[in-house]
Amino acid sequence: MRSRIVCSLFVFILSLGIYAKDKDVLIIDVRTLAEWNSGYLENAIHIPLDTIEKNITLTELDKNKEIYLYCRSGNRSGKATSILQDLGYKNVTNIGGIQSASSNLSIPIVTK
């Protein structure tokens, strides 16, 4: 049973990578500005966790749009996921830390 769950999870994670390339999704980096400046996922936007509630409402974003959130380890993006869900966003996914998000979504990390 456990191997079936792990296998299903693996297939789901792989599908996220394909999906992110094929669909119009919004990828949000919720790390600090210093972390963002050290590298970020290609095509991501930067909205730090401490400003996400205020700044997401300024975007007038469709609440059904698919949104992926990441940070350094997945902790802050988990908090941001809860905030957006509380605001009524329906398709919000915490994709974890930047390294695993890059690998799982097949999106490179851009460095300046």
Side-chain angles (χ1 to χ4, degrees), residues 75-112:
N75 184 34
R76 287 173 284 177
S77 52
K79 291 175 183 176
T81 298
S82 294
I83 290 169
L84 295 186
Q85 288 171 338
D86 289 346
L87 291 171
Y89 291 89
K90 307 218 182 314
N91 296 310
V92 184
T93 304
N94 175 5
I95 56 172
I98 186 171
Q99 295 295 329
S100 61
S102 172
S103 177
N104 292 335
L105 295 174
S106 300
I107 297 174
I109 297 173
V110 176
T111 57
K112 296 179 181 181

Side-chain angles (χ1 to χ4, degrees), residues 15-69:
S15 71
L16 283 178
I18 295 166
Y19 195 68
K21 289 180 180 177
D22 295 340
K23 285 284 196 175
D24 183 30
V25 299
L26 178 62
I27 302 172
I28 302 175
D29 182 324
V30 299
R31 299 174 304 149
T32 65
L33 181 59
E35 290 171 308
W36 167 265
N37 287 336
S38 70
Y40 52 88
L41 293 186
E42 185 176 78
N43 298 320
I45 65 168
H46 181 232
I47 306 177
L49 174 63
D50 61 351
T51 67
I52 197 157
E53 186 170 2
K54 175 185 167 193
N55 288 326
I56 199 72
T57 57
L58 298 175
T59 65
E60 297 181 12
L61 186 65
D62 176 2
K63 291 196 175 184
N64 292 308
K65 184 169 183 74
E66 290 214 50
I67 302 171
Y68 293 158
L69 298 138

